[in-house]
Amino acid sequence: MTRTIPLLASLLLAACADPAAPPAPSRAASEQPDATPPSQPAETLPEVEGAPAPAVVEAPEERVRPVLVWGRDDEGLSYTWWVEREREGGWDVVGTTGVVVAIDGALHHWVVDEEPVATELDCELFETVPGTGEGTGARAFLERVDGGDRREVLAPAAAEARESAEWTESVRLLGSLGPYLFVERETYSYHCGAHGGTEHETFVWDARTGEPVELYDAGARAALERVMEPAAKQALADESDGESLLFGDEVHRTRVRPVFEPNGIVRMEHQWTGATCYACSDGEWGSYTVSTQLLTDELPPAVAPHAADIGDALRFLHGEVEGLVVGGVSKADPDARDAFEALPVEGC
């Protein structure tokens, strides 16, 4: 286990040595160090008239529920922590490997399986020929930790793979907030040209309905475009000579995800993308695109309630886990604590 996650390492060692061992000592919120800014913050937009108004979130009067916080370390390894406020004011923390989210009180693992897909483009004949080759597809699931249902989030792009000579596909969870999963698929394909290319697609998936959703209505999207489009074009200007990296004058909003800052604030990151030359591409979206990421403080109304009452837990965890990059937060049912503690820990 990597030393860059000291809190998790101590928890996992305790779990391996003694299943009944208590979690690492908690520390009161007043003892936390000052929050530090993200290592690579996206550009922050100034307040502009006409931008969507911040969602007002009223904290419930009942006792704050425990939260599940999942994140990644510098090596890309994923972990999840159960973070719960103690009555004495400190924190009770239990950790496990992998990504776990709470949906309607039930705990679910995020799972991605690789599977073969047919590639049928023959570069000698330059036509599709069944049985020509085999690529790699990816299928994403949410799987209940108690062995219940396994819900498919994304299936391999088999039809697109079939029309290529080479195909490699991967799926990753960009972030999550409550039941909303921010999912990205990346594909590399080769179609018998001078070189292959990469493409991305993203969507927001509502785990309660099992369907993709649009977080912004037409009015909100128009406001975002009015505010962000000029800023995105400016951000894509080449710093060395002031010339734009864009081909043409069009940029499009291609990705959105929540960003959890060390100070406990949740913001939304919007990626804007435009066309460019192959050698100029930054790989963030396609082989002929360049992108920039802009942050806003306003949360979509659907996700805003799920960001309430999580700031203290985020600040505490950032103070304990070195190099933590939080990917998602969901509020857990206190009765699910035993099920979380029973999860197997990798390496034990």
Side-chain angles (χ1 to χ4, degrees):
M1 192 58 60
T2 175
R3 292 183 179 274
T4 60
I5 310 291
L7 175 62
L8 179 63
S10 64
L11 290 170
L12 298 189
L13 288 173
C16 294
D18 180 4
S26 58
R27 190 167 67 179
S30 60
E31 299 175 19
Q32 300 309 306
D34 293 336
T36 56
S39 57
Q40 293 182 334
E43 181 175 337
T44 301
L45 290 176
E47 293 187 6
V48 178
E49 184 177 356
V56 178
V57 180
E58 296 292 340
E61 295 182 359
E62 62 185 24
R63 186 183 176 192
V64 176
R65 297 172 63 184
V67 297
L68 295 183
V69 181
W70 67 266
R72 298 186 176 98
D73 66 3
D74 294 338
E75 298 178 359
L77 300 176
S78 299
Y79 308 92
T80 302
W81 294 267
W82 177 290
V83 186
E84 185 171 3
R85 173 80 77 174
E86 294 178 329
R87 295 188 182 277
E88 295 78 10
W91 292 95
D92 187 10
V93 183
V94 180
T96 189
T97 48
V99 174
V100 182
V101 295
I103 308 297
D104 291 336
L107 305 182
H108 294 75
H109 277 297
W110 166 258
V111 181
V112 178
D113 291 338
E114 290 187 354
E115 60 183 67
V117 291
T119 56
E120 299 183 347
L121 180 59
D122 189 312
C123 288
E124 292 184 2
L125 301 175
F126 208 75
E127 63 182 40
T128 57
V129 179
T132 301
E134 185 177 281
T136 302
R139 191 181 301 273
F141 297 92
L142 271 187
E143 185 174 58
R144 281 184 57 135
V145 304
D146 60 5
D149 66 327
R150 196 184 207 205
R151 287 182 283 173
E152 184 176 270
V153 178
L154 186 65
E160 292 85 346
R162 189 173 295 111
E163 297 175 355
S164 68
E166 298 179 19
W167 185 268
T168 303
E169 182 178 313
S170 62
V171 177
R172 69 175 180 138
L173 191 58
L174 293 172
S176 69
L177 189 52
Y180 297 100
L181 308 186
F182 297 75
V183 183
E184 179 179 66
R185 169 160 52 196
E186 178 180 355
T187 58
Y188 166 81
S189 61
Y190 176 60
H191 295 83
C192 305
H195 52 72
T198 59
E199 293 184 357
H200 293 75
E201 64 174 295
T202 63
F203 60 93
V204 182
W205 196 72
D206 187 340
R208 297 166 301 186
T209 64
E211 299 289 341
V213 295
E214 175 58 62
L215 295 179
Y216 296 92
D217 61 23
R221 290 197 298 272
L224 287 170
E225 291 171 3
R226 183 170 59 252
V227 174
M228 290 187 170
E229 187 172 336
K233 291 178 180 179
Q234 182 63 40
L236 290 172
D238 188 345
E239 294 181 0
S240 61
D241 55 16
E243 295 182 4
S244 176
L245 295 173
L246 296 173
F247 282 3
D249 193 42
E250 292 187 0
V251 293
H252 303 279
R253 194 167 60 96
T254 53
R255 188 176 76 190
V256 62
R257 71 181 182 100
V259 173
F260 304 89
E261 299 189 343
N263 59 9
I265 293 176
V266 183
R267 310 173 81 187
M268 298 302 291
E269 178 190 273
H270 300 263
Q271 177 170 284
W272 287 77
T273 301
T276 192
C277 66
Y278 180 82
C280 305
S281 174
D282 56 9
E284 289 289 341
W285 191 248
S287 293
Y288 291 90
T289 65
V290 63
S291 300
T292 188
Q293 295 78 35
L294 304 176
L295 287 172
T296 60
D297 293 325
E298 297 79 20
L299 303 181
V303 304
H306 303 285
D309 303 318
I310 65 174
D312 287 345
L314 289 175
R315 285 189 290 272
F316 166 76
L317 204 57
H318 271 289
E320 292 289 329
V321 182
E322 183 180 350
L324 173 65
V325 177
V326 171
V329 179
S330 54
K331 297 177 183 178
D333 185 336
D335 293 337
R337 171 71 179 257
D338 290 343
F340 185 86
E341 290 187 337
L343 293 176
V345 176
E346 185 177 335
C348 291

